[in-house]
PDB file of all heavy atoms in Angstrom:
ATOM      1  N   THR A   1     -13.737   8.054  -6.615  1.00 93.00           N
ATOM      2  CA  THR A   1     -15.230   7.762  -6.927  1.00 93.00           C
ATOM      3  C   THR A   1     -15.452   6.243  -7.045  1.00 93.00           C
ATOM      4  O   THR A   1     -14.683   5.565  -7.774  1.00 93.00           O
ATOM      5  CB  THR A   1     -15.618   8.394  -8.212  1.00 93.00           C
ATOM      6  OG1 THR A   1     -15.288   9.820  -8.140  1.00 93.00           O
ATOM      7  CG2 THR A   1     -17.138   8.222  -8.511  1.00 93.00           C
ATOM      8  N   PRO A   2     -16.413   5.699  -6.380  1.00 93.00           N
ATOM      9  CA  PRO A   2     -16.660   4.291  -6.418  1.00 93.00           C
ATOM     10  C   PRO A   2     -16.904   3.794  -7.915  1.00 93.00           C
ATOM     11  O   PRO A   2     -17.627   4.455  -8.622  1.00 93.00           O
ATOM     12  CB  PRO A   2     -17.967   4.005  -5.609  1.00 93.00           C
ATOM     13  CG  PRO A   2     -17.961   5.137  -4.690  1.00 93.00           C
ATOM     14  CD  PRO A   2     -17.292   6.299  -5.378  1.00 93.00           C
ATOM     15  N   GLY A   3     -16.153   2.803  -8.251  1.00 94.00           N
ATOM     16  CA  GLY A   3     -16.232   2.341  -9.640  1.00 94.00           C
ATOM     17  C   GLY A   3     -15.407   3.133 -10.579  1.00 94.00           C
ATOM     18  O   GLY A   3     -15.268   2.827 -11.871  1.00 94.00           O
ATOM     19  N   GLY A   4     -14.701   4.214 -10.132  1.00 96.00           N
ATOM     20  CA  GLY A   4     -13.930   5.101 -11.022  1.00 96.00           C
ATOM     21  C   GLY A   4     -12.479   4.531 -11.170  1.00 96.00           C
ATOM     22  O   GLY A   4     -12.126   3.653 -10.658  1.00 96.00           O
ATOM     23  N   VAL A   5     -11.748   5.275 -12.006  1.00 94.00           N
ATOM     24  CA  VAL A   5     -10.359   4.965 -12.294  1.00 94.00           C
ATOM     25  C   VAL A   5      -9.477   4.850 -11.160  1.00 94.00           C
ATOM     26  O   VAL A   5      -8.727   3.897 -10.854  1.00 94.00           O
ATOM     27  CB  VAL A   5      -9.849   5.924 -13.352  1.00 94.00           C
ATOM     28  CG1 VAL A   5      -8.399   5.642 -13.588  1.00 94.00           C
ATOM     29  CG2 VAL A   5     -10.631   5.932 -14.680  1.00 94.00           C
ATOM     30  N   THR A   6      -9.604   5.875 -10.281  1.00 93.00           N
ATOM     31  CA  THR A   6      -8.756   5.998  -9.083  1.00 93.00           C
ATOM     32  C   THR A   6      -9.092   4.803  -8.153  1.00 93.00           C
ATOM     33  O   THR A   6      -8.226   4.080  -7.591  1.00 93.00           O
ATOM     34  CB  THR A   6      -8.926   7.259  -8.330  1.00 93.00           C
ATOM     35  OG1 THR A   6      -8.479   8.341  -9.275  1.00 93.00           O
ATOM     36  CG2 THR A   6      -8.068   7.349  -7.137  1.00 93.00           C
ATOM     37  N   ALA A   7     -10.364   4.577  -7.940  1.00 96.00           N
ATOM     38  CA  ALA A   7     -10.802   3.428  -6.920  1.00 96.00           C
ATOM     39  C   ALA A   7     -10.346   2.145  -7.563  1.00 96.00           C
ATOM     40  O   ALA A   7      -9.896   1.213  -6.846  1.00 96.00           O
ATOM     41  CB  ALA A   7     -12.299   3.519  -6.844  1.00 96.00           C
ATOM     42  N   GLU A   8     -10.395   1.865  -8.814  1.00 96.00           N
ATOM     43  CA  GLU A   8     -10.018   0.671  -9.368  1.00 96.00           C
ATOM     44  C   GLU A   8      -8.480   0.490  -9.257  1.00 96.00           C
ATOM     45  O   GLU A   8      -8.056  -0.641  -8.974  1.00 96.00           O
ATOM     46  CB  GLU A   8     -10.361   0.608 -10.915  1.00 96.00           C
ATOM     47  CG  GLU A   8     -11.877   0.478 -11.211  1.00 96.00           C
ATOM     48  CD  GLU A   8     -12.438  -0.798 -10.759  1.00 96.00           C
ATOM     49  OE1 GLU A   8     -11.764  -1.917 -10.826  1.00 96.00           O
ATOM     50  OE2 GLU A   8     -13.620  -0.834 -10.372  1.00 96.00           O
ATOM     51  N   GLY A   9      -7.706   1.540  -9.440  1.00 94.00           N
ATOM     52  CA  GLY A   9      -6.284   1.459  -9.300  1.00 94.00           C
ATOM     53  C   GLY A   9      -5.937   1.181  -7.857  1.00 94.00           C
ATOM     54  O   GLY A   9      -5.043   0.364  -7.601  1.00 94.00           O
ATOM     55  N   LEU A  10      -6.572   1.830  -6.931  1.00 95.00           N
ATOM     56  CA  LEU A  10      -6.300   1.661  -5.552  1.00 95.00           C
ATOM     57  C   LEU A  10      -6.681   0.238  -5.058  1.00 95.00           C
ATOM     58  O   LEU A  10      -5.895  -0.373  -4.307  1.00 95.00           O
ATOM     59  CB  LEU A  10      -7.049   2.605  -4.708  1.00 95.00           C
ATOM     60  CG  LEU A  10      -6.567   4.145  -4.831  1.00 95.00           C
ATOM     61  CD1 LEU A  10      -7.467   5.010  -4.020  1.00 95.00           C
ATOM     62  CD2 LEU A  10      -5.129   4.206  -4.319  1.00 95.00           C
ATOM     63  N   ALA A  11      -7.748  -0.378  -5.589  1.00 96.00           N
ATOM     64  CA  ALA A  11      -8.220  -1.612  -5.246  1.00 96.00           C
ATOM     65  C   ALA A  11      -7.096  -2.704  -5.727  1.00 96.00           C
ATOM     66  O   ALA A  11      -6.795  -3.619  -5.024  1.00 96.00           O
ATOM     67  CB  ALA A  11      -9.530  -2.067  -5.873  1.00 96.00           C
ATOM     68  N   ARG A  12      -6.558  -2.429  -6.940  1.00 96.00           N
ATOM     69  CA  ARG A  12      -5.546  -3.303  -7.442  1.00 96.00           C
ATOM     70  C   ARG A  12      -4.206  -3.205  -6.547  1.00 96.00           C
ATOM     71  O   ARG A  12      -3.599  -4.255  -6.218  1.00 96.00           O
ATOM     72  CB  ARG A  12      -5.155  -2.963  -8.885  1.00 96.00           C
ATOM     73  CG  ARG A  12      -4.074  -3.629  -9.530  1.00 96.00           C
ATOM     74  CD  ARG A  12      -4.397  -5.071  -9.722  1.00 96.00           C
ATOM     75  NE  ARG A  12      -3.246  -5.737 -10.435  1.00 96.00           N
ATOM     76  CZ  ARG A  12      -3.180  -6.960 -10.579  1.00 96.00           C
ATOM     77  NH1 ARG A  12      -4.163  -7.793 -10.213  1.00 96.00           N
ATOM     78  NH2 ARG A  12      -2.155  -7.525 -11.179  1.00 96.00           N
ATOM     79  N   LEU A  13      -3.900  -1.989  -6.139  1.00 95.00           N
ATOM     80  CA  LEU A  13      -2.757  -1.875  -5.229  1.00 95.00           C
ATOM     81  C   LEU A  13      -2.880  -2.593  -4.044  1.00 95.00           C
ATOM     82  O   LEU A  13      -1.955  -3.158  -3.463  1.00 95.00           O
ATOM     83  CB  LEU A  13      -2.434  -0.384  -5.094  1.00 95.00           C
ATOM     84  CG  LEU A  13      -1.852   0.399  -6.257  1.00 95.00           C
ATOM     85  CD1 LEU A  13      -1.838   1.798  -5.992  1.00 95.00           C
ATOM     86  CD2 LEU A  13      -0.460  -0.058  -6.624  1.00 95.00           C
ATOM     87  N   GLU A  14      -4.059  -2.432  -3.365  1.00 96.00           N
ATOM     88  CA  GLU A  14      -4.383  -3.060  -2.090  1.00 96.00           C
ATOM     89  C   GLU A  14      -4.383  -4.564  -2.260  1.00 96.00           C
ATOM     90  O   GLU A  14      -3.828  -5.267  -1.474  1.00 96.00           O
ATOM     91  CB  GLU A  14      -5.762  -2.591  -1.584  1.00 96.00           C
ATOM     92  CG  GLU A  14      -5.790  -1.144  -1.053  1.00 96.00           C
ATOM     93  CD  GLU A  14      -4.935  -1.006   0.231  1.00 96.00           C
ATOM     94  OE1 GLU A  14      -4.741  -1.988   0.925  1.00 96.00           O
ATOM     95  OE2 GLU A  14      -4.614   0.129   0.497  1.00 96.00           O
ATOM     96  N   SER A  15      -4.903  -5.106  -3.356  1.00 97.00           N
ATOM     97  CA  SER A  15      -5.008  -6.568  -3.473  1.00 97.00           C
ATOM     98  C   SER A  15      -3.525  -7.173  -3.702  1.00 97.00           C
ATOM     99  O   SER A  15      -3.324  -8.245  -3.384  1.00 97.00           O
ATOM    100  CB  SER A  15      -5.835  -6.887  -4.666  1.00 97.00           C
ATOM    101  OG  SER A  15      -5.357  -6.538  -5.850  1.00 97.00           O
ATOM    102  N   ALA A  16      -2.621  -6.259  -4.210  1.00 97.00           N
ATOM    103  CA  ALA A  16      -1.305  -6.689  -4.431  1.00 97.00           C
ATOM    104  C   ALA A  16      -0.437  -6.490  -3.114  1.00 97.00           C
ATOM    105  O   ALA A  16       0.747  -6.796  -3.191  1.00 97.00           O
ATOM    106  CB  ALA A  16      -0.652  -5.962  -5.572  1.00 97.00           C
ATOM    107  N   GLY A  17      -0.991  -5.995  -2.123  1.00 97.00           N
ATOM    108  CA  GLY A  17      -0.287  -5.862  -0.815  1.00 97.00           C
ATOM    109  C   GLY A  17       0.459  -4.529  -0.557  1.00 97.00           C
ATOM    110  O   GLY A  17       1.369  -4.517   0.239  1.00 97.00           O
ATOM    111  N   LEU A  18      -0.066  -3.461  -1.259  1.00 95.00           N
ATOM    112  CA  LEU A  18       0.586  -2.197  -1.069  1.00 95.00           C
ATOM    113  C   LEU A  18       0.672  -1.704   0.431  1.00 95.00           C
ATOM    114  O   LEU A  18       1.799  -1.380   0.915  1.00 95.00           O
ATOM    115  CB  LEU A  18      -0.101  -1.042  -1.829  1.00 95.00           C
ATOM    116  CG  LEU A  18       0.424   0.275  -1.634  1.00 95.00           C
ATOM    117  CD1 LEU A  18       1.775   0.427  -2.275  1.00 95.00           C
ATOM    118  CD2 LEU A  18      -0.536   1.324  -2.143  1.00 95.00           C
ATOM    119  N   ARG A  19      -0.412  -1.877   1.097  1.00 95.00           N
ATOM    120  CA  ARG A  19      -0.360  -1.423   2.568  1.00 95.00           C
ATOM    121  C   ARG A  19       0.656  -2.198   3.387  1.00 95.00           C
ATOM    122  O   ARG A  19       1.531  -1.568   4.030  1.00 95.00           O
ATOM    123  CB  ARG A  19      -1.758  -1.531   3.282  1.00 95.00           C
ATOM    124  CG  ARG A  19      -1.858  -1.047   4.602  1.00 95.00           C
ATOM    125  CD  ARG A  19      -3.219  -1.195   5.126  1.00 95.00           C
ATOM    126  NE  ARG A  19      -4.204  -0.409   4.272  1.00 95.00           N
ATOM    127  CZ  ARG A  19      -4.473   0.856   4.381  1.00 95.00           C
ATOM    128  NH1 ARG A  19      -3.879   1.591   5.267  1.00 95.00           N
ATOM    129  NH2 ARG A  19      -5.406   1.422   3.663  1.00 95.00           N
ATOM    130  N   GLN A  20       0.620  -3.469   3.362  1.00 97.00           N
ATOM    131  CA  GLN A  20       1.534  -4.220   4.069  1.00 97.00           C
ATOM    132  C   GLN A  20       2.998  -4.086   3.688  1.00 97.00           C
ATOM    133  O   GLN A  20       3.875  -3.987   4.497  1.00 97.00           O
ATOM    134  CB  GLN A  20       1.236  -5.717   4.089  1.00 97.00           C
ATOM    135  CG  GLN A  20       2.001  -6.579   5.011  1.00 97.00           C
ATOM    136  CD  GLN A  20       1.978  -6.027   6.481  1.00 97.00           C
ATOM    137  OE1 GLN A  20       0.855  -5.750   7.000  1.00 97.00           O
ATOM    138  NE2 GLN A  20       3.117  -5.922   7.187  1.00 97.00           N
ATOM    139  N   THR A  21       3.233  -4.014   2.425  1.00 96.00           N
ATOM    140  CA  THR A  21       4.550  -3.794   1.890  1.00 96.00           C
ATOM    141  C   THR A  21       5.118  -2.375   2.385  1.00 96.00           C
ATOM    142  O   THR A  21       6.264  -2.236   2.746  1.00 96.00           O
ATOM    143  CB  THR A  21       4.592  -3.865   0.384  1.00 96.00           C
ATOM    144  OG1 THR A  21       4.168  -5.163   0.004  1.00 96.00           O
ATOM    145  CG2 THR A  21       5.958  -3.526  -0.192  1.00 96.00           C
ATOM    146  N   THR A  22       4.248  -1.377   2.226  1.00 95.00           N
ATOM    147  CA  THR A  22       4.620  -0.052   2.676  1.00 95.00           C
ATOM    148  C   THR A  22       4.917   0.032   4.224  1.00 95.00           C
ATOM    149  O   THR A  22       5.882   0.595   4.642  1.00 95.00           O
ATOM    150  CB  THR A  22       3.578   1.035   2.325  1.00 95.00           C
ATOM    151  OG1 THR A  22       3.278   0.938   0.928  1.00 95.00           O
ATOM    152  CG2 THR A  22       3.908   2.456   2.680  1.00 95.00           C
ATOM    153  N   LEU A  23       4.080  -0.594   5.012  1.00 96.00           N
ATOM    154  CA  LEU A  23       4.279  -0.623   6.427  1.00 96.00           C
ATOM    155  C   LEU A  23       5.589  -1.386   6.748  1.00 96.00           C
ATOM    156  O   LEU A  23       6.413  -0.864   7.617  1.00 96.00           O
ATOM    157  CB  LEU A  23       3.121  -1.375   7.150  1.00 96.00           C
ATOM    158  CG  LEU A  23       1.868  -0.634   7.156  1.00 96.00           C
ATOM    159  CD1 LEU A  23       0.780  -1.605   7.605  1.00 96.00           C
ATOM    160  CD2 LEU A  23       1.947   0.608   7.948  1.00 96.00           C
ATOM    161  N   SER A  24       5.848  -2.498   6.107  1.00 97.00           N
ATOM    162  CA  SER A  24       7.049  -3.310   6.295  1.00 97.00           C
ATOM    163  C   SER A  24       8.303  -2.416   5.964  1.00 97.00           C
ATOM    164  O   SER A  24       9.352  -2.380   6.716  1.00 97.00           O
ATOM    165  CB  SER A  24       7.014  -4.556   5.528  1.00 97.00           C
ATOM    166  OG  SER A  24       8.246  -5.275   5.718  1.00 97.00           O
ATOM    167  N   ALA A  25       8.201  -1.733   4.771  1.00 95.00           N
ATOM    168  CA  ALA A  25       9.392  -0.917   4.380  1.00 95.00           C
ATOM    169  C   ALA A  25       9.638   0.207   5.376  1.00 95.00           C
ATOM    170  O   ALA A  25      10.836   0.549   5.723  1.00 95.00           O
ATOM    171  CB  ALA A  25       9.143  -0.333   2.948  1.00 95.00           C
ATOM    172  N   PHE A  26       8.597   0.839   5.821  1.00 95.00           N
ATOM    173  CA  PHE A  26       8.767   1.908   6.708  1.00 95.00           C
ATOM    174  C   PHE A  26       9.335   1.452   8.033  1.00 95.00           C
ATOM    175  O   PHE A  26      10.268   2.000   8.615  1.00 95.00           O
ATOM    176  CB  PHE A  26       7.461   2.664   7.009  1.00 95.00           C
ATOM    177  CG  PHE A  26       7.579   3.822   7.956  1.00 95.00           C
ATOM    178  CD1 PHE A  26       8.074   4.983   7.541  1.00 95.00           C
ATOM    179  CD2 PHE A  26       7.197   3.577   9.339  1.00 95.00           C
ATOM    180  CE1 PHE A  26       8.178   6.015   8.385  1.00 95.00           C
ATOM    181  CE2 PHE A  26       7.359   4.664  10.218  1.00 95.00           C
ATOM    182  CZ  PHE A  26       7.777   5.819   9.882  1.00 95.00           C
ATOM    183  N   GLU A  27       8.858   0.318   8.511  1.00 97.00           N
ATOM    184  CA  GLU A  27       9.273  -0.203   9.818  1.00 97.00           C
ATOM    185  C   GLU A  27      10.761  -0.609   9.772  1.00 97.00           C
ATOM    186  O   GLU A  27      11.561  -0.326  10.646  1.00 97.00           O
ATOM    187  CB  GLU A  27       8.420  -1.385  10.292  1.00 97.00           C
ATOM    188  CG  GLU A  27       7.055  -0.956  10.745  1.00 97.00           C
ATOM    189  CD  GLU A  27       6.013  -1.935  10.760  1.00 97.00           C
ATOM    190  OE1 GLU A  27       6.339  -3.191  10.503  1.00 97.00           O
ATOM    191  OE2 GLU A  27       4.871  -1.782  11.121  1.00 97.00           O
ATOM    192  N   ASN A  28      11.146  -1.162   8.666  1.00 97.00           N
ATOM    193  CA  ASN A  28      12.489  -1.663   8.414  1.00 97.00           C
ATOM    194  C   ASN A  28      13.438  -0.441   8.393  1.00 97.00           C
ATOM    195  O   ASN A  28      14.589  -0.343   8.876  1.00 97.00           O
ATOM    196  CB  ASN A  28      12.623  -2.491   7.073  1.00 97.00           C
ATOM    197  CG  ASN A  28      12.172  -3.810   7.385  1.00 97.00           C
ATOM    198  OD1 ASN A  28      11.905  -4.327   8.447  1.00 97.00           O
ATOM    199  ND2 ASN A  28      11.931  -4.555   6.202  1.00 97.00           N
ATOM    200  N   SER A  29      13.015   0.671   7.622  1.00 95.00           N
ATOM    201  CA  SER A  29      13.775   1.892   7.501  1.00 95.00           C
ATOM    202  C   SER A  29      13.960   2.510   8.835  1.00 95.00           C
ATOM    203  O   SER A  29      15.018   3.035   9.198  1.00 95.00           O
ATOM    204  CB  SER A  29      13.154   2.803   6.493  1.00 95.00           C
ATOM    205  OG  SER A  29      13.213   2.280   5.192  1.00 95.00           O
ATOM    206  N   LEU A  30      12.917   2.604   9.599  1.00 95.00           N
ATOM    207  CA  LEU A  30      12.886   3.153  10.917  1.00 95.00           C
ATOM    208  C   LEU A  30      13.819   2.434  11.859  1.00 95.00           C
ATOM    209  O   LEU A  30      14.657   3.065  12.535  1.00 95.00           O
ATOM    210  CB  LEU A  30      11.527   3.265  11.523  1.00 95.00           C
ATOM    211  CG  LEU A  30      11.392   4.046  12.871  1.00 95.00           C
ATOM    212  CD1 LEU A  30      11.887   5.496  12.730  1.00 95.00           C
ATOM    213  CD2 LEU A  30       9.900   4.055  13.316  1.00 95.00           C
ATOM    214  N   ALA A  31      13.850   1.159  11.791  1.00 96.00           N
ATOM    215  CA  ALA A  31      14.709   0.273  12.616  1.00 96.00           C
ATOM    216  C   ALA A  31      16.134   0.601  12.252  1.00 96.00           C
ATOM    217  O   ALA A  31      17.033   0.712  13.005  1.00 96.00           O
ATOM    218  CB  ALA A  31      14.410  -1.145  12.373  1.00 96.00           C
ATOM    219  N   LYS A  32      16.455   0.749  10.960  1.00 96.00           N
ATOM    220  CA  LYS A  32      17.763   1.012  10.477  1.00 96.00           C
ATOM    221  C   LYS A  32      18.201   2.384  11.075  1.00 96.00           C
ATOM    222  O   LYS A  32      19.390   2.554  11.537  1.00 96.00           O
ATOM    223  CB  LYS A  32      17.800   0.986   8.963  1.00 96.00           C
ATOM    224  CG  LYS A  32      19.164   1.384   8.364  1.00 96.00           C
ATOM    225  CD  LYS A  32      20.241   0.311   8.713  1.00 96.00           C
ATOM    226  CE  LYS A  32      21.498   0.731   7.930  1.00 96.00           C
ATOM    227  NZ  LYS A  32      22.584  -0.223   8.232  1.00 96.00           N
TER     228      LYS A  32
END
């Protein structure tokens, strides 16, 4: 919900680079 607890937590994760970190981890694991 916009402005809700989940949205706030997700925004914090995104601003901390969750998406890019997750993509990088997956790509590295797949390469391995």
Side-chain angles (χ1 to χ4, degrees):
T1 307
V5 174
T6 301
E8 291 293 327
L10 291 172
R12 175 69 178 172
L13 289 169
E14 287 293 337
S15 71
L18 175 70
R19 182 177 305 273
Q20 188 54 46
T21 299
T22 303
L23 290 171
S24 177
F26 180 79
E27 290 164 359
N28 287 344
S29 295
L30 187 56
K32 177 67 176 180

